[in-house]
Amino acid sequence: MGKHVITLMVNGESHRLEIEPRAHLADVLRDELALTGTHIGCEHGVCGACTIRVDGAITRACLLLAVQAEGAVIETIEGLSDSGEIGDLQDAFRHRNALQCGYCTPAMLITAQDLLLHNPNPDRATIRDHISGNYCRCTGYQAIVDAVETVAKARQTAGERA
Amino acid sequence: MKAYAFDYVRAATLVEALSLLERAGEGGKLIAGGQSLVPALNLRLLAPQILIDIAQLPELRGITSDDTHIHLGAGTRHAELATSALVGQHVPLLQTAIRHVAHAAIRNRGTLGGNLAHADPASELPACMIALEATMLVVGPKGERRIDAIDFFKGLYETALEADDILVRISIARSPAETRVHFNELARRAGDYAMAGLAMVMHGTQPQGLRIRPVFFGIGDRPTLASHAARCLEQAADPMAGLAAAQQALSQDLSPQEDLQADADTRMQLARVLLKRGLTDLLAQGRG
Amino acid sequence: MSGPLSPLDRPNSYIGRTVPRPNLERLVEGRGTYVSDMTLPRMGHVVFVRSPYAHARIVDIDTGAAKQGEGVIAVVTGAELVEQCSPWVGVLSHLKGLKSAPQHAMAVDRACWQGEAVCAVVANSRAQAEDAAELVQVQYQELEPVTDMRTALEPHIPVIHAELGDNLAFERSLDAGEVDKAFSEADAVAEAEFVFGRHTGVTLEARAVLADWNPGERRLTVYQGTQAPHMMQNIFAKHLALEEAQVRVVCKDVGGSFGIKVHVYADEMATAALSKRLKRPVKFVADRIESFVTDIHARDHICKGRIAVKQDGTITAFAIDDLTGIGPYSMYPRTSAIEANQVVNLVGGPYQARNYRARARVVFQNKNVMCQYRAVGHPIACSVTEGLVDLAARAIGMDPLEIRSRNLIKDDAYPTDSPSGLKFESLSHHASLAKLKQMMDYDGLRAEQKRLRRQGIYRGIGLASFIEVTNPSAAFYGVGGARISSQDGVSVRMDATGAIIVQTSLTEQGQGSEALTAQVVASALGVTLDKVRVILGDTDNTPYGGGTWASRGAGIGGEAAWQAGKALRMNILEVAGTILQTVPDMLDIDQGVVVDKGTTRERIGLDEVARIAYFRPDTLPADFQAELLATRHYVPRQYPFAFTNGIQASWLEVDTETGFITLLNHWCVEDCGTIINPQLVDEQIRGGVVQGLGAALFEHCRYDERGQLTNGTMADYLVPMASEMPDIEVGHVVSPTLESELGAKGAGEAGTAGAAACVANAVNDALEPFDVTITEIPLTPSLILNALGRRGG
């Protein structure tokens, strides 16, 4: 039951890590790489707070063993913030107060971005459905739905102008 | 909440996976998408010695079609099923059902084979497999065998798979254009396991000679084909005329269980409502 | 200009303006610092071995094998940790008769609920500690658990703490007016038993604490997700045999609190004690399974209620008999009697009826501890009151809105009081009702309801008026002997560039404490928000004060910030006046520049004032000393509590075949006095409403008869998710408290207070054709089908 040496590609950086197979990716990101923007809320795949992007698809990091992620392209809130990819969503969340304690927020943003990449013009019910696996205990969700809807419209308008 | 320590090996081929599984013996456990397994590991409900990762086996990948059937690799992820044009064209029931399976992030990793092998009684896809009369291709140390879906699900988290078997492929007859399908589930929150659900297929167009397969899930310890109820519907002059009898017959077909979400009586009531609504929907599709 | 200026009418005031919270940028980028994110050198992780039994004697603990575990630093039993941490008793002297037993950081000889810690394992990683925890051999002798609060006081039931004599923790009775007469003279009497599901807060970040005893400094630093750092400083010192000055509590980002994180948890005390014992940092982060069995639960009540009403709709009396089970100990230091006490205080509160009888009994049981969670007691009181009012309306055939209109305390009747002795300064029930009626188009909805019923679609309207206790004075805890400050302090200083640094005793868990403090200080001073930086959550670096709970942040901490900002403005103007050789009274500050008062004529920038004060004091008169720091404290004195009020409404559909409820719309009109940031108030209301909706539909800690929690995972304990929640419309009426200049009354809990009540009323309204009354939450499909007699059988 020794440790495994794996290489993880996280936010464009390659990391060689020696880890136990039992370690899930959320723990490895947080403990080994100090990427603490990926939060842990339940560790049994329900709350969604650890949602990250693996090979472009949103994934619960607590349900993916880090050893399974070898060779995958991993993106966390830190990478998505630095690249600016979700800057408009982050702005909208801030201006709409779509976060209170902020613990669900990185995962909520990544999930919202996933929706907008697949469905640029979602209605409110679709937004609610897509984030329905992400617990937010503070906001009651409406402000989050508003913020995502605002960004969807803004991107549509920008797309039309371009 | 950290898993017990275990070892891990990623298999490159089906043959290798089978031999690893055989060598591991009782301490071995397959992992694919891990969406049901990893929570159980984290909660220390399971203590495998070694996980054998079959997520990347080429033999388990791919969605193909021939003249009569569509073939789904067991390693196909829910998200791939949801977006596959072949699936949409030939087994639309699956795509309707998949929208109810957990949430997007789970669907991105969870696999069809993992879902079926886990055999959660409240899971959507096992019921669809029975309704669609799917066949499971299983490979074990003694070679290949095919298991009909109706024989595959044996009970609570129990299947016809032996400990050293690997589910490789699921084959489903392509639905003729006139086949109607219905899927509905009653869950208190979107993405939750259902308190009661129904996958139903209706073959034929004339009131006489209809073949109806209502399969309930989330009610008993396994997905259940309500054959008595189906007969009531099929034998009535018009299916709707047979509904009341069919609803009564559900008590012969189903053994509702009590859990945290609902008691047995509630489940039976929900099953009857689902049957009525399902039939209404199927008949309305014919008029559409 | 028309009318006199209020003190709040400052140039470029931020009072009443929606501006983004200053602390959000880092949170949206994942750059927050939650306790669960923190690591320190030589840090150990503690995992607790917890009792699997609700009640058991600890016969023996064998730690030998665990101590040999890989990475293990120490294994410490409850009995051993007594050396480091003394026990406590959760009572307050003003709650007469309240009793409880001494509680230790870990069980010493007896575990009293499933989940109570009995042994601690500290290791280099959480996983190693969990591995070793499985090697701790605890020999238990199972004892008969007390689980049913209905029978907890019966003679044949075991007494949990023999030395207390019985299982009754607290009892309060109240009899006001002429209750018997009112009931005997009533035209109709309605009664019901209201049952509430025990539920909990489910903060998304579980409880987390990192304690660092540094023997070199002889200081304990505790990084903790807590709402009340100064309270915790006192308690760590008291029970770890330290001086308060030896303890520093630091509260950085907190992943949700809702009252869950304002209590003293045994395992957090154990963590601090372990750090002291092991002379190194020890971190505890509850996992989700631990959270469900150790985070306080709340609202486990059965309340019988009666209401007397005249045919003209006049409600003449309320009577209640409330019973609640609080677990085996009264929680420390706020006690577990407050919730029931609030129920007694609040039932009937919005109404004119003067006849009121109440009894509340609080009993011990072998389940997890219960204590104050968001809107303490209010949802119980509101559900009972509003449920009874609807029953009374139905009994006399009156519309639910009409009966409220006839009985709510008139808006011009203030100041007044309630039969339970609550003092109301100024409430606005009728203005709120009128606004709600218009916002929701009540008459239109009634017509739609009627039309849909003919199609077999059953929709219901539910109303719930509420009052909400906010801004508690010392009457809440201080008079009972608890060292929980009811005052807050704020220091405001101008640095050498003219920027402003604010230190407040409020804490932030997402409510917006930092934002409201910045907005108030910027307004009081006359600077722009970007010049204001707020420091909070650190006992070493903030004035002493209560923290953030009981909707007190804006009303108490906000007023202290206002007064401190004003004081600094005067100090700055004195320096400016000296520089400009004019009287300070002729000057003001507008957008960071000293101007001639009442004009925008710029005289000198704050940066220049600061430069002179700090670097060229030699240019100022010899007898003048600039003071660019001002501190003010505030506590309400005139009223023991402020009260906010409002009314909520729910519009929902019941599927009478499946028992499923679809929430279609929800409205809340509330009056929190002066609104500092409209968006933050609205979002507090919405978030609070949704927690109340969770209680109405989903949330329930379900115990079996052996005291085992049967649904303690996120998969089984359901909280509201996005798809099932409606959009919530929020309206406001503004009646500022005149006790403070700011006039803010607090908004954190009003949403939670009334949400479940109006959903229950709406369900009963929807089911009115079936002559069904349901007075139990959560409203599960099974419950509804049962009530309708629709069972598959």
Side-chain angles (χ1 to χ4, degrees):
Chain A
M1 313 241 175
K3 292 192 169 185
H4 285 222
V5 175
I6 62 165
T7 302
L8 288 184
M9 181 61 75
V10 184
N11 299 328
E13 295 170 23
S14 175
H15 300 272
R16 192 167 173 280
L17 300 167
E18 203 179 312
I19 55 160
E20 287 190 291
R22 66 167 153 177
H24 56 66
L25 187 56
D27 269 350
V28 169
L29 292 172
R30 290 171 54 81
D31 298 343
E32 306 292 328
L33 303 180
L35 293 167
T36 52
T38 299
H39 294 155
I40 289 178
C42 75
E43 288 185 282
H44 49 285
V46 185
C47 79
C50 63
T51 305
I52 57 170
R53 232 159 51 182
V54 178
D55 292 332
I58 57 169
T59 299
R60 286 180 176 167
C62 80
L63 294 190
L64 182 60
L65 301 174
V67 283
Q68 288 191 285
E70 167 133 54
V73 173
I74 297 164
E75 294 166 283
T76 70
I77 188 67
E78 289 87 352
L80 292 171
S81 297
D82 289 350
S83 74
E85 180 186 328
I86 58 169
D88 53 356
L89 273 167
Q90 289 168 320
D91 266 359
F93 269 53
R94 215 160 56 79
H95 282 95
R96 183 59 190 83
N97 200 49
L99 62 152
Q100 290 181 25
C101 82
Y103 201 74
C104 74
T105 308
M108 197 67 87
L109 286 161
I110 292 172
T111 304
Q113 172 70 352
D114 179 67
L115 170 66
L116 297 183
L117 291 175
H118 291 98
N119 179 356
N121 191 19
D123 60 18
R124 290 178 74 81
T126 305
I127 297 169
R128 284 185 178 274
D129 181 65
H130 201 79
I131 62 169
S132 68
N134 292 68
Y135 281 48
C136 171
R137 196 57 167 162
C138 297
T139 65
Y141 302 104
Q142 186 173 339
I144 296 170
V145 177
D146 289 347
V148 176
E149 193 180 33
T150 301
V151 172
K153 286 180 178 151
R155 286 189 190 178
Q156 289 279 89
T157 310
E160 281 157 20
R161 255 193 255 116
Chain B
M1 191 193 295
K2 308 298 172 195
Y4 290 111
F6 50 74
D7 213 337
Y8 168 90
V9 59
R10 186 186 287 186
T13 65
L14 184 56
V15 171
E16 188 194 353
L18 284 166
S19 99
L20 285 166
L21 193 53
E22 193 175 8
R23 211 178 319 146
E26 283 192 353
K29 183 95 189 149
L30 298 175
I31 183 169
Q35 301 302 285
S36 298
L37 181 62
V38 177
L41 292 172
N42 290 351
L43 287 160
R44 296 197 169 202
L45 300 175
L46 294 174
Q49 294 290 306
I50 182 166
L51 291 186
I52 298 149
D53 191 344
I54 55 170
Q56 297 184 10
L57 294 189
E59 295 91 336
L60 270 55
R61 304 289 307 164
I63 300 172
T64 57
S65 166
D66 58 30
D67 287 349
T68 56
H69 284 76
I70 183 158
H71 307 283
L72 309 169
T76 306
R77 291 175 176 172
H78 292 96
E80 294 169 318
L81 288 174
T83 52
S84 155
L86 276 177
V87 173
Q89 192 185 342
H90 300 300
V91 271
L93 177 67
L94 275 187
Q95 288 195 338
T96 310
I98 276 170
R99 286 201 285 273
H100 296 272
V101 178
H103 306 280
I106 301 280
R107 295 193 291 267
N108 281 338
R109 302 275 335 163
T111 65
L112 174 62
N115 182 306
L116 301 180
H118 185 55
D120 190 305
S123 182
E124 292 84 357
L125 299 184
C128 293
M129 293 301 145
I130 295 176
L132 294 165
E133 298 169 82
T135 306
M136 320 292 182
L137 175 68
V138 172
V139 178
K142 285 172 255 164
E144 283 188 4
R145 65 190 196 281
R146 287 178 166 71
I147 306 173
D148 288 341
I150 192 81
D151 301 321
F152 186 80
F153 301 100
K154 296 287 194 190
L156 192 67
Y157 305 114
E158 233 183 278
T159 68
L161 290 172
E162 301 292 332
D164 44 11
D165 282 338
I166 294 178
L167 174 59
V168 175
R169 195 160 58 240
I170 295 92
S171 299
I172 303 171
R174 290 164 49 158
S175 301
E178 69 272 17
T179 295
R180 302 174 212 172
V181 298
H182 167 83
F183 185 91
N184 191 13
E185 69 174 40
L186 293 165
R188 289 169 71 190
R189 306 180 307 173
D192 281 359
Y193 279 124
M195 280 167 63
L198 172 64
M200 183 147 66
V201 175
M202 186 162 84
H203 301 285
T205 51
Q206 300 308 313
Q208 283 74 39
L210 287 178
R211 207 160 69 78
I212 300 176
R213 289 180 70 80
V215 181
F216 288 87
F217 60 96
I219 289 175
D221 68 351
R222 70 194 83 174
T224 307
L225 173 67
S227 46
H228 291 90
R231 210 166 305 133
C232 294
L233 299 175
E234 289 164 356
Q235 292 175 354
D238 143 23
M240 203 41 98
L243 176 64
Q247 285 177 311
Q248 281 307 310
L250 285 178
S251 52
Q252 287 169 269
D253 291 319
L254 303 177
S255 312
Q257 305 211 330
E258 170 158 11
D259 68 6
L260 290 164
Q261 294 298 325
D263 57 33
D265 286 352
T266 295
R267 287 214 151 84
M268 185 56 87
Q269 163 73 9
L270 297 182
R272 289 177 177 157
V273 173
L274 284 170
L275 186 65
K276 179 181 79 175
R277 292 180 183 180
L279 186 66
T280 306
D281 175 44
L282 289 176
L283 297 176
Q285 289 176 28
R287 284 195 297 274
Chain C
M1 223 171 251
S2 64
L5 285 177
S6 98
L8 303 184
D9 288 320
R10 299 270 311 136
N12 293 293
S13 171
Y14 289 95
I15 310 293
R17 274 172 64 184
T18 287
V19 288
R21 287 159 52 201
N23 46 342
L24 294 190
E25 254 174 295
R26 70 168 192 278
L27 296 182
V28 296
E29 295 189 357
R31 295 177 196 275
T33 308
Y34 300 88
V35 176
S36 46
D37 298 335
M38 294 183 65
T39 55
L40 290 176
R42 294 189 73 225
M43 183 178 87
H45 296 260
V46 62
V47 161
F48 294 98
V49 179
R50 296 181 182 277
S51 171
Y53 301 109
H55 199 190
R57 188 160 303 287
I58 299 163
V59 178
D60 182 57
I61 301 179
D62 179 355
T63 59
K67 281 177 175 160
Q68 303 305 312
E70 188 185 336
V72 170
I73 296 164
V75 182
V76 182
T77 67
E80 289 166 343
L81 201 63
V82 172
E83 287 168 40
Q84 273 75 39
C85 188
S86 62
W88 52 84
V89 182
V91 295
L92 288 167
S93 64
H94 67 307
L95 297 167
K96 297 225 167 6
L98 171 61
K99 62 191 190 229
S100 187
Q103 184 182 1
H104 286 273
M106 292 192 283
V108 172
D109 53 12
R110 195 166 52 107
C112 287
W113 83 90
Q114 176 219 3
E116 185 174 9
V118 301
C119 185
V121 178
V122 184
N124 287 318
S125 75
R126 169 93 195 186
Q128 288 172 332
E130 285 191 27
D131 291 345
E134 300 227 359
L135 303 175
V136 174
Q137 300 289 323
V138 186
Q139 199 185 327
Y140 295 99
Q141 178 198 345
E142 204 180 345
L143 301 171
E144 195 54 35
V146 179
T147 55
D148 184 355
M149 63 171 148
R150 289 179 196 259
T151 59
L153 298 177
E154 290 178 5
H156 66 281
I157 296 294
V159 174
I160 295 175
H161 305 293
E163 69 273 25
L164 299 182
D166 57 28
N167 288 326
L168 183 67
F170 179 66
E171 178 165 9
R172 181 182 167 200
S173 294
L174 181 95
D175 201 342
E178 296 177 292
V179 176
D180 292 330
K181 185 162 176 278
F183 275 102
S184 68
E185 291 175 359
D187 291 328
V189 172
E191 62 183 18
E193 181 178 270
F194 296 85
V195 179
F196 300 85
R198 180 185 257 256
H199 53 278
T200 185
V202 196
T203 59
L204 196 53
E205 184 196 25
R207 289 186 295 109
V209 60
L210 168 52
D212 181 14
W213 168 250
N214 183 331
E217 295 177 342
R218 300 207 57 75
R219 286 205 93 202
L220 175 71
T221 304
V222 185
Y223 303 89
Q224 188 181 25
T226 177
Q227 300 170 236
H230 283 105
M231 179 192 92
M232 288 310 305
Q233 177 190 36
N234 165 255
I235 283 171
F236 284 124
K238 185 171 170 185
H239 295 282
L240 301 178
L242 298 169
E243 297 296 324
E244 268 187 48
Q246 288 178 280
V247 179
R248 176 184 179 194
V249 177
V250 181
C251 176
K252 299 194 174 192
D253 294 313
V254 183
S257 56
F258 322 120
I260 299 301
K261 295 176 180 169
V262 76
H263 308 294
V264 173
Y265 286 92
D267 49 21
E268 296 180 31
M269 293 300 288
T271 304
L274 285 164
S275 173
K276 195 159 172 248
R277 183 181 177 101
L278 302 175
K279 303 182 177 66
R280 60 195 290 178
V282 178
K283 181 179 184 180
F284 170 62
V285 181
D287 71 23
R288 187 53 59 184
I289 303 305
E290 293 179 292
S291 292
F292 277 114
V293 292
T294 59
D295 288 9
I296 57 116
H297 295 175
R299 322 232 215 274
D300 195 359
H301 286 244
I302 298 169
C303 188
K304 291 180 184 151
R306 293 176 80 208
I307 187 167
V309 65
K310 294 287 205 182
Q311 196 55 48
D312 68 357
T314 306
I315 296 167
T316 54
F318 288 94
I320 63 155
D321 188 1
D322 184 41
L323 177 66
T324 179
I326 56 163
Y329 298 102
S330 171
M331 199 72 181
Y332 187 60
R334 291 164 192 254
T335 85
S336 305
I338 296 281
E339 190 180 66
N341 199 51
Q342 290 289 51
V343 174
V344 171
N345 283 337
L346 294 166
V347 164
Y351 296 98
Q352 296 176 114
R354 300 299 300 179
N355 306 305
Y356 176 44
R357 179 179 293 149
R359 176 173 75 152
R361 286 172 301 157
V362 177
V363 302
F364 294 116
Q365 52 183 179
N366 293 110
K367 296 181 183 175
N368 183 23
V369 286
M370 283 225 314
C371 200
Q372 282 80 290
Y373 160 53
R374 194 175 199 171
V376 188
H378 292 69
I380 312 290
C382 186
S383 290
V384 171
T385 304
E386 297 301 303
L388 288 172
V389 168
D390 268 20
L391 287 174
R394 200 185 280 194
I396 58 167
M398 185 173 279
D399 178 85
L401 193 140
E402 180 61 26
I403 196 171
R404 286 175 173 79
S405 173
R406 291 189 187 202
N407 286 281
L408 288 165
I409 300 173
K410 305 287 182 222
D411 289 359
D412 60 4
Y414 299 96
T416 185
D417 62 1
S418 75
S420 63
L422 305 176
K423 292 180 169 46
F424 301 133
E425 181 193 6
S426 177
L427 302 180
S428 57
H429 289 299
H430 288 270
S432 299
L433 181 70
K435 184 153 199 171
L436 179 88
K437 188 179 180 203
Q438 174 260 321
M439 274 170 66
M440 69 188 289
D441 183 16
Y442 184 81
D443 298 332
L445 282 186
R446 282 281 175 223
E448 191 180 342
Q449 176 185 40
K450 207 169 160 189
R451 185 176 61 76
L452 289 170
R453 265 187 199 169
R454 289 196 290 268
Q455 302 169 27
I457 294 169
Y458 296 94
R459 292 192 176 176
I461 299 169
L463 302 173
S465 284
F466 63 86
I467 52 174
E468 173 72 41
V469 175
T470 64
N471 297 358
S473 71
F476 226 24
Y477 295 116
V479 299
R483 293 175 73 88
I484 301 169
S485 184
S486 55
Q487 62 86 55
D488 274 299
V490 176
S491 289
V492 183
R493 72 179 193 266
M494 184 164 81
D495 77 6
T497 67
I500 305 301
I501 298 159
V502 187
Q503 290 150 299
T504 175
S505 56
L506 292 185
T507 56
E508 171 82 61
Q509 300 92 31
Q511 304 91 332
S513 306
E514 198 174 326
L516 80 85
T517 301
Q519 284 181 252
V520 167
V521 167
S523 304
L525 272 172
V527 301
T528 51
L529 262 186
D530 60 315
K531 294 289 185 202
V532 181
R533 191 161 67 84
V534 178
I535 295 168
L536 39 63
D538 182 348
T539 55
D540 266 10
N541 289 304
T542 64
Y544 201 91
T548 300
W549 41 273
S551 303
R552 64 190 298 286
I556 299 179
E559 180 69 10
W562 174 255
Q563 296 297 344
K566 280 201 332 183
L568 181 63
R569 183 175 84 221
M570 287 314 300
N571 290 2
I572 291 170
L573 293 180
E574 272 187 37
V575 183
T578 304
I579 296 167
L580 299 170
Q581 300 190 338
T582 180
V583 285
D585 272 0
M586 301 294 288
L587 301 171
D588 201 347
I589 305 173
D590 185 2
Q591 300 194 68
V593 179
V594 176
V595 296
D596 283 333
K597 196 174 203 163
T599 77
T600 53
R601 195 166 86 88
E602 297 189 359
R603 299 297 305 274
I604 183 170
L606 291 190
D607 53 345
E608 182 63 6
V609 174
R611 186 189 67 81
I612 293 167
Y614 287 117
F615 306 117
R616 295 304 308 275
D618 58 303
T619 64
L620 299 174
D623 59 351
F624 180 81
Q625 176 59 51
E627 294 293 349
L628 296 179
L629 166 69
T631 301
R632 289 293 181 273
H633 295 81
Y634 177 73
V635 65
R637 289 162 185 282
Q638 224 177 319
Y639 287 89
F641 313 100
F643 276 91
T644 74
N645 70 278
I647 184 165
Q648 298 190 28
S650 171
W651 172 237
L652 54 75
E653 183 171 319
V654 181
D655 182 333
T656 56
E657 290 185 328
T658 63
F660 276 62
I661 296 167
T662 305
L663 303 175
L664 299 169
N665 216 333
H666 198 102
W667 298 265
C668 178
V669 176
E670 66 78 48
D671 183 347
C672 65
T674 301
I675 292 171
I676 297 166
N677 183 321
Q679 185 184 60
L680 297 192
V681 169
D682 286 0
E683 295 317 315
Q684 279 301 301
I685 297 296
R686 290 196 174 100
V689 164
V690 167
Q691 284 191 2
L693 296 178
L697 298 186
F698 301 121
E699 299 190 37
H700 194 184
C701 301
R702 294 172 58 162
Y703 277 88
D704 68 14
E705 68 284 355
R706 300 301 299 167
Q708 298 286 317
L709 184 66
T710 60
N711 65 335
T713 73
M714 280 260 194
D716 293 324
Y717 181 98
L718 308 184
V719 303
M721 300 299 296
S723 280
E724 292 71 37
M725 290 299 109
D727 280 344
I728 297 158
E729 292 180 42
V730 183
H732 305 280
V733 174
V734 177
S735 314
T737 172
L738 301 181
E739 191 170 354
S740 66
E741 283 184 26
L742 200 54
K745 298 199 285 196
E749 299 167 283
T752 309
C758 65
V759 167
N761 283 351
V763 166
N764 286 323
D765 186 53
L767 299 181
E768 196 253 322
F770 302 89
D771 198 24
V772 157
T773 302
I774 303 172
T775 52
E776 181 175 344
I777 57 170
L779 292 150
T780 63
S782 284
L783 184 70
I784 288 171
L785 288 178
N786 255 330
L788 288 167
R790 293 203 174 160
R791 311 271 294 175

